[in-house]
Amino acid sequence: KQEVTQIPAALSVPEGENLVLNCSFTDSAIYNLQWFRQDPGKGLTSLLLIQSSQREQTSGRLNASLDKSSGRSTLYIAASQPGDSATYLCAVPTGTASKLTFGTGTRLQVTL
Amino acid sequence: GAGVSQSPSNKVTEKGKDVELRCDPISGHTALYWYRQSLGQGLEFLIYFQGNSAPDKSGLPSDRFSAERTGGSVSTLTIQRTQQEDSAVYLCASSGLLGGRETQYFGPGTRLLVL
């Protein structure tokens, strides 16, 4: 059974800092990995999707990497802003239905 | 609208009552998923639809939970005889192509509170 873990569970940083969120998964037979953002009381917003053939994907200040063999992905956020405050979730598709197995989430707070 | 919509956005009910949650997927998306997000449990899969059929119901926690989809579009998740542990956010997603790859688009969720 696929298990997805994220560390840290919570993180508070001052504005402007670069930070790294970690995601690990137990079954490396994945064909992609997705990072989501969830704001309080809101649904999920897809940030980045990395295919298994890729090593990284970039969007603006966000960069996600994937190392299938070690079962790890990282989300790098450059020059953090208070608007980045949210919960970040990684997820991998499981089974023929491509249902997503989600990580435990990292709650990020960026302070002024 | 352009995105996945869910209704109601919030629902408060008494223990033992039945509730229905609705999901309107993005037009043309054939795959639809229901997930549940509860405190201490994270986000977990409930059921998957391809068209009107549900080939994977493995995440439904009990026989009090059921779902249907009609016309390959709207889906309804029904919880019978609600219990307090059913309190959670219920999220719906539909799946379509993004950059040539299938990806899931999520609705805002329905927050269910069972008193």
Side-chain angles (χ1 to χ4, degrees), chain A residues 5-38:
Chain A
T5 307
Q6 291 183 244
I7 55 171
L11 182 63
S12 181
V13 300
E15 181 180 16
E17 272 202 10
N18 302 323
L19 56 102
V20 175
L21 308 182
N22 297 287
C23 171
S24 60
F25 44 94
T26 55
D27 184 350
S28 61
I30 62 170
Y31 58 87
N32 68 46
L33 182 144
Q34 201 163 356
W35 283 92
F36 291 89
R37 169 186 172 136
Q38 185 174 33

Side-chain angles (χ1 to χ4, degrees), chain A residues 32 34 36 38 41-44 46 49 51 89 97-100 102, chain B residues 33 35 37 43 45 48 56 58 91 101-104 106-108 111:
Chain A
N32 68 46
Q34 201 163 356
F36 291 89
Q38 185 174 33
K42 302 283 182 64
L44 302 178
S46 179
L49 186 151
Q51 302 296 341
L89 296 156
S98 296
K99 58 193 179 188
L100 294 177
F102 283 87
Chain B
Y33 303 79
Y35 295 88
Q37 187 174 33
L43 238 163
F45 165 81
Y48 157 68
D56 191 341
S58 61
L91 291 164
R101 298 287 182 174
E102 286 286 328
T103 191
Q104 294 182 26
F106 282 80
R111 281 147 198 80

Side-chain angles (χ1 to χ4, degrees), chain B residues 8 10-21 64 78-88 90 110-115:
Chain B
N10 292 280
K11 177 72 177 179
V12 180
T13 191
E14 294 179 348
K15 178 181 172 181
K17 296 284 181 68
D18 298 351
V19 296
E20 283 189 354
L21 312 180
R64 296 185 296 104
T78 301
I79 308 173
Q80 295 179 307
R81 305 180 302 282
T82 52
Q83 303 294 313
Q84 289 180 333
E85 62 262 28
D86 299 336
S87 296
Y90 291 82
T110 293
R111 281 147 198 80
L112 174 66
L113 177 61
V114 182
L115 301 176

